Amino acid sequence: AGLHPRGGFAEGGPMLYSVRLVFVVLGHIWFVGTNARNYGDGNTKALHSFDVTVSNIVVKLQELEAPNTLLELYASWCPHCQRFAKHLKLVHEAIAPFPDEVGLLAIDCADKTSSPVCTNFKVAGYPTLYWGPPDTFVEVIQAGSKEARSAALKSLEKVSVARTAPAVLGFISP
């Protein structure tokens, strides 16, 4: 690779490599810096009442009055999850007046402490949504054996609708 006739380095030369490296480094900095959950309200650090952690998910599930719960398993670094976050907030606002009918919880699988919970739900992609009775979610989380966990997981419904507020609300109340 030599100098290009108009100045600079020819294609594939050291200058191009340096530019690519700068973009990779800047991209990494952006990627690492966007791990906050953005609910579309301008405050990326705000946690909503439906956000849970591994330390309180079982208690939150047991406190729910609703017969069914929607659980989102997401990764804060995931662009799909980031786009879905504002829709989930709208779902939360729509169902908040009806706590005895439907519950909503979300857990960040990118948090290393959440890994055991997310592994129990066999998350293959983000965001993943499950629907079912709160006590069944507790069974999946606390099951002592793979067989018990698999049996409990099979009784939950994996939600396969578009990741938009109208689609999720349509699933919840067809």
Side-chain angles (χ1 to χ4, degrees), residues 20-35 77:
R20 286 182 184 156
L21 182 61
V22 168
F23 282 121
V24 168
V25 169
L26 289 177
H28 178 71
I29 290 169
W30 172 83
F31 180 78
V32 170
T34 57
N35 281 352
W77 52 260

Side-chain angles (χ1 to χ4, degrees), residues 76-148:
S76 51
W77 52 260
C78 167
H80 300 290
C81 301
Q82 292 167 5
R83 282 190 296 276
F84 181 56
K86 63 184 173 190
H87 292 276
L88 194 65
K89 181 182 177 194
L90 293 172
V91 170
H92 177 256
E93 290 169 356
I95 66 172
F98 310 102
D100 56 335
E101 294 180 30
V102 63
L104 172 64
L105 296 176
I107 188 163
D108 184 1
C109 295
D111 179 350
K112 290 186 187 336
T113 61
S114 300
S115 180
V117 170
C118 298
T119 300
N120 286 357
F121 286 95
K122 300 181 181 177
V123 176
Y126 299 108
T128 296
L129 299 172
Y130 278 102
W131 173 257
D135 58 335
T136 305
F137 285 104
V138 172
E139 288 177 41
V140 172
I141 294 166
Q142 295 182 334
S145 69
K146 286 184 181 182
E147 294 79 21

Side-chain angles (χ1 to χ4, degrees), residues 54-96:
V54 72
S55 62
N56 70 355
I57 188 170
V58 170
V59 171
K60 291 284 188 178
L61 284 163
Q62 292 169 337
E63 290 175 351
L64 289 173
E65 302 167 20
N68 285 300
T69 298
L70 182 69
L71 175 66
E72 179 202 23
L73 299 123
Y74 72 95
S76 51
W77 52 260
C78 167
H80 300 290
C81 301
Q82 292 167 5
R83 282 190 296 276
F84 181 56
K86 63 184 173 190
H87 292 276
L88 194 65
K89 181 182 177 194
L90 293 172
V91 170
H92 177 256
E93 290 169 356
I95 66 172

Side-chain angles (χ1 to χ4, degrees), residues 1-12:
L3 285 176
H4 192 274
R6 289 188 303 248
F9 289 96
E11 180 66 30

